[in-house]
Amino acid sequence: MTVRTRFAPSPTGFLHIGGARTALFSWAFAKKHGGKFILRIEDTDVARSTTEAVQAILDGMNWLGLDYDEGPFYQMQRMDRYKEVIQKMLQEGSAYYCYSTREELDALRESQMQQGLKPRYDGRWRPEEGKVLPEPPSGIPPVIRFKNPKDGNVVWNDLVKGEISIANQELDDLIIARADGTPTYNFCVVVDDWEMGITQVIRGDDHVNNTPRQINMLKALGATVPQYAHLSMILGDDGQKLSKRHGAVSVMQYDEDGYLPEAVLNYLARLGWSHGDDEIFSMQQFCEWFDLDHITPSAAQFNTEKLKWLNAHYIKLADRDYLVKDITGRLAQLNVSVSAQPDLVAVIDLYKERTNTLNELAESIVYFYRKPSIDHVAAEKHLVADIKPALENLTELLRTVDWNAEAIHHAINEVVTKFQLKFPKVAMPLRVLLTGIAQSPSIDQVMVLLGRCEVLARIAEFK
């Protein structure tokens, strides 16, 4: 049997971290087993689904590099097929019309709650042998309900959570088509998984309660029931359920914030799954190693600092051409135009070992292409009057030295010796004047890249 997995987001919002992890695990499982990965857009919630959200999902999948073998399929384009299946179920007796009004159902619910009972449909329109149903009332369009088995249990071996058993008595007869004829979510999922030949359904554990109903419908259709793997939720840094207030609403926010897709994927892979103590690995390695046996059934906790650490690692390894293109774009967003000098490749090489995100990298190198504003605190601490003679002497030396790091470093040392200072006493004021802040890579390397004229001009600003 060919493995066929699917990722089936609803386009009522962006592709968030939890959804991206589900997509990654489904994608990796298919890759591991030489199978097919299908993308399905579950857009039956017409009131909340938007074309913008669909595009955000596609953009997120593309940015992460989670290529799908089939799709995207859209449920709204399959309405005729769903209705055909419902008609077949009506004919075979596994579905029936229900004419209960909203008021009747509300009154039923209220009565059950007052009696301490679980609110559920009481089957008043369910056909049974020997049962006489009333005449359908006029003017009330019926819904269609699935005739769920009354006895026995729905049992499945969840590939993450282990065996789960739900008594059919706990399940009422689910509505599979609304009064306007529109099929409902749970029914559409069943038909899609059946007809798309899905063999493993990997999804969030918020769907566990849907699973017994879906299994019963699949059996009623004579379909093969797939294996299910329900992933635990992701908690935020604070241990609470991951939500918008924890940061990124969309995985594309991580792109905007300066994360590389390789880092995000590597991090997501370790959220609830492990391969020994391995922390850093390629997606090729991940697909080779991935299995459902090593997914923990307990909640995974998001750790922003760990993600930053991984991102810093991937920035160091990133292709130079990729970095140049990306950083040029991020500088443009800061209204900074990259000129021919200093060479952006050299500037990036100087800073990429020091930053956690591409945004930090771009922001750190602005001063090479635009004169910086000097930090007041750093200025008060380091640009003191008694250092001015030393800087004036250094300026004279810098006018004639060979413009390389070794010669510049030698010139600074010469001034340090002459004025009987420690090296930082000269280097720190230089950093503030040249970069605007008191932290930078080796100051002689910074000066080489800035160029002689620019260095002398910025030192001259110290009055």
Side-chain angles (χ1 to χ4, degrees):
M1 180 187 296
T2 300
V3 165
R4 291 175 63 83
T5 65
R6 49 76 158 179
F7 176 54
S10 297
T12 55
F14 301 107
L15 177 59
H16 53 78
I17 281 295
R21 183 187 64 166
T22 299
L24 172 62
F25 285 10
S26 299
W27 173 85
F29 190 83
K31 296 287 185 185
K32 166 73 175 285
H33 295 282
K36 301 292 184 182
F37 174 59
I38 293 100
L39 176 62
R40 187 170 79 217
I41 307 296
E42 297 186 339
D43 55 352
T44 55
D45 188 346
V46 178
R48 297 174 59 220
S49 297
T50 66
T51 55
E52 292 80 9
V54 170
Q55 191 58 52
I57 290 168
L58 298 178
D59 289 344
M61 295 287 285
N62 182 62
W63 183 69
L64 290 170
L66 299 179
D67 53 313
Y68 35 92
D69 301 292
E70 298 176 20
F73 298 106
Y74 296 87
Q75 287 186 327
M76 287 303 294
Q77 296 175 6
R78 290 174 45 78
M79 284 292 132
D80 290 344
R81 177 55 185 154
Y82 302 140
K83 292 175 182 178
E84 284 179 11
V85 176
I86 287 174
Q87 287 304 310
K88 184 173 183 289
M89 293 174 72
L90 286 168
Q91 293 166 10
E92 294 177 348
S94 59
Y96 62 92
Y97 290 108
C98 171
Y99 293 88
S100 298
T101 64
R102 170 54 57 191
E103 291 74 22
E104 289 174 334
L105 293 175
D106 287 345
L108 172 64
R109 178 184 179 85
E110 183 65 29
S111 173
Q112 289 171 332
M113 292 179 68
Q114 287 178 358
Q115 298 176 61
L117 302 174
K118 178 181 177 180
R120 51 182 295 151
Y121 177 64
D122 61 0
R124 61 184 61 182
W125 286 95
R126 177 183 171 116
E128 302 282 10
E129 187 175 347
K131 178 180 180 179
V132 179
L133 295 173
E135 283 293 318
S138 61
I140 297 179
V143 300
I144 299 174
R145 291 182 182 270
F146 170 61
K147 195 175 183 182
N148 195 77
K150 283 189 171 181
D151 302 319
N153 297 320
V154 187
V155 182
W156 76 96
N157 180 37
D158 194 282
L159 299 176
V160 173
K161 295 181 175 296
E163 184 175 291
I164 298 177
S165 178
I166 305 292
N168 276 314
Q169 290 182 340
E170 294 295 313
L171 308 172
D172 58 5
D173 291 350
L174 182 73
I175 294 175
I176 60 175
R178 303 177 184 89
D180 63 1
T182 306
T184 58
Y185 164 78
N186 267 299
F187 178 74
C188 296
V189 168
V190 164
V191 176
D192 288 344
D193 285 345
W194 169 36
E195 297 194 336
M196 294 178 185
I198 302 303
T199 56
Q200 283 80 22
V201 173
I202 301 170
R203 60 188 180 186
D205 64 1
D206 53 329
H207 288 284
V208 168
N209 290 337
N210 294 328
T211 303
R213 302 178 187 277
Q214 293 175 6
I215 289 175
N216 280 340
M217 283 190 278
L218 285 163
K219 289 180 175 179
L221 291 168
T224 300
V225 177
Q227 294 179 301
Y228 292 91
H230 289 96
L231 309 176
S232 60
M233 70 171 63
I234 300 174
L235 303 178
D237 293 271
D238 57 1
Q240 302 299 308
K241 184 177 179 180
L242 195 65
S243 64
K244 293 180 181 179
R245 65 187 176 82
H246 290 94
V249 177
S250 161
V251 295
M252 296 309 295
Q253 184 67 47
Y254 288 92
D255 178 29
E256 293 180 26
D257 291 346
Y259 290 89
L260 290 165
E262 297 91 336
V264 174
L265 285 169
N266 192 159
Y267 184 71
L268 287 177
R270 291 285 282 112
L271 270 181
W273 175 88
S274 63
H275 182 267
D277 295 327
D278 292 294
E279 294 280 0
I280 299 173
F281 42 80
S282 68
M283 284 302 98
Q284 180 179 346
Q285 288 174 313
F286 177 55
C287 290
E288 291 172 0
W289 294 339
F290 183 69
D291 57 29
L292 299 172
D293 296 335
H294 289 84
I295 295 177
T296 175
S298 57
Q301 188 160 354
F302 198 87
N303 186 322
T304 302
E305 292 307 309
K306 187 67 163 289
L307 174 58
K308 286 182 178 180
W309 173 77
L310 273 172
N311 201 53
H313 168 79
Y314 281 102
I315 287 175
K316 294 171 189 174
L317 299 180
D319 177 76
R320 277 184 171 181
D321 290 340
Y322 174 89
L323 285 180
V324 166
K325 181 178 179 181
D326 184 276
I327 296 302
T328 299
R330 293 180 194 274
L331 287 172
Q333 293 177 349
L334 298 171
N335 296 316
V336 176
S337 177
V338 178
S339 56
Q341 292 297 326
D343 176 46
L344 184 56
V345 170
V347 172
I348 289 173
D349 283 346
L350 184 62
Y351 264 90
K352 69 180 183 179
E353 302 274 339
R354 303 170 59 90
T355 53
N356 290 321
T357 70
L358 295 172
N359 281 359
E360 286 181 15
L361 178 51
E363 291 163 4
S364 296
I365 66 174
V366 166
Y367 72 86
F368 281 102
Y369 303 98
R370 184 172 67 196
K371 190 170 73 172
S373 299
I374 293 179
D375 178 72
H376 293 299
V377 174
E380 288 180 6
K381 183 176 180 180
H382 299 291
L383 298 183
V384 293
D386 60 1
I387 198 64
K388 191 172 183 182
L391 290 182
E392 289 175 345
N393 183 242
L394 177 62
T395 298
E396 293 306 313
L397 295 176
L398 293 177
R399 294 185 192 282
T400 57
V401 299
D402 292 337
W403 203 252
N404 58 61
E406 184 179 359
I408 292 171
H409 191 84
H410 181 75
I412 298 173
N413 274 332
E414 190 176 326
V415 171
V416 165
T417 301
K418 179 178 179 179
F419 287 85
Q420 297 183 329
L421 300 169
K422 292 184 178 179
F423 191 89
K425 272 291 187 179
V426 176
M428 296 304 284
L430 279 176
R431 282 193 171 91
V432 175
L433 288 168
L434 300 179
T435 73
I437 58 176
Q439 298 83 34
S440 77
S442 177
I443 192 61
D444 47 26
Q445 294 178 321
V446 169
M447 293 166 73
V448 168
L449 290 176
L450 275 172
R452 192 193 310 269
C453 291
E454 187 64 24
V455 166
L456 294 176
R458 292 187 187 184
I459 295 176
E461 294 284 320
F462 182 29
K463 305 297 184 184

